[in-house]
Every structure is written in C-alpha cells, then in structure tokens.
Amino acid sequence: MANNDVGLIKRASDYGAYMGAVLCIIFFAVVYSTIIPQLSILAIALIAVIPFFLFWMMRRTRKVSGAYTRLSALWMFGILTFIFGGIILAAVVYIYLQFIDTDFISRQLGAAIEIYKQNPELVNSETLDTLTKIYESGQVPTAIQSAMSSLWSVSFFGSVLSLIEAAIVTAASKNNIGEK
C-alpha cells in the first residue's frame, strides 16, 4: 500500500472538479450549438471521451493508492467523482438558466414544436400534443428543476459507467494488464 493515500472522498472530489469542468464544457457546447452548429461535434466528442477519462482516473487512483484495489472501492470512487462533477454542472446550469438566458428552455421547446409541426408524419403525434400543452400552459421546467435533473442524470449515468469501468480496472489489475 502506498503512503501517499489521501482518501477516497478527497481524491474523488479532486477528480470531480475536472469532471465538472468537462461536463460544463459539454453543457455550453450544447447550448451554443444553436448558434455555432460545429459545437455539437465538440459535445459529442467530449461525451465519448468521458469513459476513457474515468478509466484513466480509476487506473491512476488504483496505482497511486493500493487501498483501492477492490471493485467496490473503485465503484464508489467513480460514483463520487460524478456526483462532485454533477454538483458543479448543476450550479452552472442553474446560474445560466436563472440569470443569463432565462428563456432558453422555452425557446428550445418552441423550436421543437415547430419542427414537429413542419414534419407531416409528426403533426398528429402524441409528443407534439404533449409539448404544445406544456408550452401553452407555462409548465416549462424551471432553472432549479433543470439543474437538479442534470445532477441526477449525471449521477445515474456515472454510477452505471463507474461499475463497468471499476470491473474492467479490477480485472485488468488482477491479470497485470497494462501494469508496469
């Protein structure tokens, strides 16, 4: 066991800050892709990089601290990393939607309704009816609802991905795959 172990929560919070930064870049790339369409490619690329980033963090954590060699410890590390990153993302989403672009969700909902109306196959769809009812009744999600939704989504996605990655890292380390 290495002597430079700083603790699971501290390590996850440190890496969570980096994860939060990546998630925020994805958020802004998606938001501004309505203005600069090429940003959607950046968002997709960063989403695709997240599993590799998590794998690197888990491998590094396992290598630096021999205490986290069990699947459960690495899984918890991954979950906490996504939770800490998700908290940063939720704060950014809330600030953006509450104070910077307060009509963003309404505009996107209106744009989705227009796209559905322009497509002859979707004009009579239940989805269009639901979106129209939400838009007309003013039941558009608030900034805090959107922020909390993003936190829960990131946490759930991170939990599932972390389990898979922890299993891979644990199996690879037992077989000394990639170890130096």
Side-chain angles (χ1 to χ4, degrees), residues 23-33 39 92-93 96 100:
L23 294 170
C24 289
I25 292 169
I26 292 169
F27 169 72
F28 284 117
V30 168
V31 166
Y32 288 106
S33 67
L39 288 176
V92 168
V93 167
Y96 183 81
I100 298 172

Side-chain angles (χ1 to χ4, degrees), residues 52-122:
F52 300 102
F53 185 44
L54 179 63
F55 182 81
W56 174 81
M57 288 186 289
M58 285 185 170
R59 283 286 303 266
R60 190 156 195 273
T61 296
R62 193 204 157 277
K63 193 180 250 184
V64 170
S65 172
Y68 307 124
T69 57
R70 296 183 55 173
L71 178 118
S72 60
L74 285 174
W75 186 20
M76 181 57 69
F77 165 79
I79 291 169
L80 291 173
T81 300
F82 275 96
I83 288 173
F84 290 128
I87 290 170
I88 294 169
L89 174 64
V92 168
V93 167
Y94 177 75
I95 291 167
Y96 183 81
L97 296 177
Q98 183 69 30
F99 301 109
I100 298 172
D101 192 356
T102 57
D103 293 331
F104 177 77
I105 297 175
S106 294
R107 281 196 323 273
Q108 296 306 310
L109 188 58
I113 291 169
E114 288 305 313
I115 290 171
Y116 270 84
K117 286 181 178 177
Q118 292 174 3
N119 189 333
E121 297 173 5
L122 302 174

